[in-house]
Amino acid sequence: MVHLSGFSLLFVAIISYKLGRWITSRVYFLHHYHIPSPVTGGLLFSVLFALLDVFFGFNVEWNFGLRDDLLLIFFCTVGLNARFRLLVSGGKTLVVLFFVIFGFLILQNTVGILTAIGIGDQPIHGLLAGTISMAGGHGTAISWGTFLEAEGYHQATEFGLMAATMGLIMGGLLGGPVAHALIKKNNLCPSQADTKGFTILESVETRQIKLCMQQILNVILLISVCIVLGKWLNSYLRAEGIVMPTYLPVLLIAITFINLSDLMNYPFNEQFINLFGDICLEMFITISLMSLNLIQLAHSAMPAFIIVMVQSLVICTFAYWIMFRAAGKDYDASLISAGFIGLGLGATPVGLANVSALAHRFGPSPKAYLIVPLLGSVFTDTLNAVILQGFLSLSIFH
């Protein structure tokens, strides 16, 4: 038994990420379709750990405290980039996408339930492999799984986590190819007007930034304050019966702080914020995927696998024909569609990883970087809670 936590976990994650980046750069399919390096490296290591377990009895005990902190830091940096002036510039698109997301969440649950019934499985598994684990991700799967188990649905958490894990993989694999097809078919490229003053062409590994110690400390202090206040707010809301992912209050507080700093003309180093956020995003996804228990999934995941495959087909079709058009039918819309697939099947970080991989290849899209996290957090999480309550009131769940 090997225990991985803290710096030992970070060490393995960095090795996994670097190996994934090396393989991705040399395998045509992976780099041509913009498969994120964390997906390649994380899945490779999860297979390696599974083989070590089967043939040598080598087990790993995971402590995910570091991974959870990386997620909070990442969403804090996302909030620190969400300035109201940018939000206003994308206002019309956001209004349209609000209703598109609402319709899609209903569709995703409907598809999940009908597929579960069609293969002779429990309808609740369709809901668990619907917006609970797909659009909601691991955190929502745990929250709702625990609730449903208390209501008498056995192993709801385990099933939800299996579906969320499969969705995370599919979200990272499918977003790039769909956006690539849209870009090539419609001959799309970034708008010079939209990208003026916004540069993300350098990858995380090669980006050059100018910093001083005080700038770094100011950003770290701001992130720390946002996370501490966000955790406190989340605890208070839970005590009042309002359950939401921990990162959401952190995100909202970061948005508030950065816009207040703009009003007071007190700037923070945006380059360091973006770089810090990118690093945390890459490490979070790498840890999440390399820690998959593939043996456990192989024993009991067939119903979840079938439902997730159907969900993958539905979301790719929806992104290609509906989301792309609703988002404006331009270059930004193609990246938003890729991000939508990532967040709609796995998690918002996967959606942003899809956007990042495409942006580094074809050019920046500040609009996608703004809209995708809003779709995945503010819109999806808020609407999901309401929609799930509506579905659970149906007679098939009583």
Side-chain angles (χ1 to χ4, degrees), residues 103-366:
F104 173 76
L105 293 177
I106 295 174
L107 174 65
Q108 191 171 64
N109 279 334
T110 303
V111 168
I113 293 169
L114 291 177
T115 305
I117 295 174
I119 62 176
D121 201 12
Q122 305 175 58
I124 195 64
H125 282 173
L127 202 59
L128 284 163
T131 63
I132 289 178
S133 60
M134 297 289 96
H138 286 78
T140 306
I142 293 172
S143 299
W144 281 94
T146 303
F147 170 78
L148 291 171
E149 286 176 354
E151 296 294 311
Y153 296 102
H154 300 295
Q155 297 184 316
T157 302
E158 180 186 60
F159 189 91
L161 287 175
M162 284 192 292
T165 298
M166 295 175 186
L168 193 72
I169 297 169
M170 297 307 296
L173 292 175
L174 296 175
V178 171
H180 181 269
L182 287 169
I183 291 170
K184 294 302 181 183
K185 177 184 177 182
N186 298 283
N187 194 28
L188 304 174
C189 61
S191 166
Q192 293 297 321
D194 289 342
T195 60
K196 185 179 180 181
F198 189 95
T199 56
I200 58 166
L201 289 174
E202 303 92 348
S203 65
V204 176
E205 299 85 357
T206 61
R207 189 177 306 162
Q208 300 293 319
I209 59 177
K210 295 181 179 179
L211 297 171
C212 72
M213 180 182 293
Q214 293 307 314
Q215 289 177 323
I216 295 175
L217 289 176
N218 286 342
V219 171
I220 293 175
L221 175 62
L222 178 60
I223 291 173
S224 300
V225 170
C226 290
I227 291 176
V228 169
L229 290 178
K231 285 185 173 182
W232 174 84
L233 178 59
N234 190 58
S235 298
Y236 173 78
L237 292 174
R238 283 180 181 269
E240 296 295 319
I242 303 173
V243 179
M244 64 176 63
T246 305
Y247 69 80
L248 188 53
V250 173
L251 176 72
L252 296 176
I253 288 174
I255 292 173
T256 302
F257 272 34
I258 198 63
N259 284 282
L260 287 175
S261 74
D262 284 351
L263 288 175
M264 295 184 293
N265 197 27
Y266 190 88
F268 290 88
N269 192 296
E270 294 184 31
Q271 289 180 307
F272 178 66
I273 290 173
N274 292 331
L275 179 63
F276 198 21
D278 283 344
I279 293 171
C280 292
L281 167 65
E282 305 284 70
M283 290 299 100
F284 168 81
I285 297 175
T286 302
I287 294 172
S288 295
L289 291 179
M290 76 179 188
S291 60
L292 297 180
N293 190 332
L294 297 181
I295 297 174
Q296 181 184 23
L297 293 177
H299 284 315
S300 57
M302 186 54 67
F305 175 79
I306 294 173
I307 299 172
V308 170
M309 291 303 103
V310 174
Q311 295 284 23
S312 299
L313 177 62
V314 169
I315 196 172
C316 287
T317 303
F318 190 94
Y320 191 91
W321 293 106
I322 298 177
M323 177 58 71
F324 176 67
R325 284 163 172 74
K329 296 191 294 186
D330 55 10
Y331 174 75
D332 293 321
S334 67
L335 268 64
I336 291 171
S337 298
F340 167 70
I341 291 173
L343 67 88
L345 287 176
T348 303
V350 178
L352 282 167
N354 289 344
V355 172
S356 180
L358 290 160
H360 291 150
R361 170 70 182 275
F362 294 106
S365 173

Side-chain angles (χ1 to χ4, degrees), residues 27-145:
V27 177
Y28 174 79
F29 172 82
L30 296 177
H31 79 260
H32 183 71
Y33 288 106
H34 326 296
I35 306 305
S37 298
V39 174
T40 305
L43 288 178
L44 179 64
F45 265 55
S46 67
V47 172
L48 174 63
F49 287 133
L51 293 175
L52 289 174
D53 186 11
V54 170
F55 293 106
F56 302 102
F58 180 89
N59 295 312
V60 178
E61 181 180 304
W62 304 92
N63 184 317
F64 294 120
L66 173 64
R67 185 195 68 173
D68 297 341
D69 288 339
L70 290 171
L71 182 64
L72 291 181
I73 295 172
F74 165 70
F75 272 107
C76 187
T77 62
V78 170
L80 295 178
N81 278 294
R83 288 169 166 79
F84 289 145
R85 54 183 169 81
L86 294 176
L87 189 62
V88 171
S89 67
K92 182 180 178 180
T93 302
L94 286 174
V95 171
V96 172
L97 295 186
F98 177 87
F99 291 101
V100 172
I101 288 291
F102 181 79
F104 173 76
L105 293 177
I106 295 174
L107 174 65
Q108 191 171 64
N109 279 334
T110 303
V111 168
I113 293 169
L114 291 177
T115 305
I117 295 174
I119 62 176
D121 201 12
Q122 305 175 58
I124 195 64
H125 282 173
L127 202 59
L128 284 163
T131 63
I132 289 178
S133 60
M134 297 289 96
H138 286 78
T140 306
I142 293 172
S143 299
W144 281 94

Side-chain angles (χ1 to χ4, degrees), residues 375-396:
L375 292 181
S377 55
V378 179
F379 286 4
T380 301
D381 287 332
T382 303
L383 291 172
N384 201 12
V386 177
I387 290 171
L388 284 170
Q389 292 290 352
F391 271 90
L392 286 172
S393 67
L394 297 175
S395 59
I396 58 174

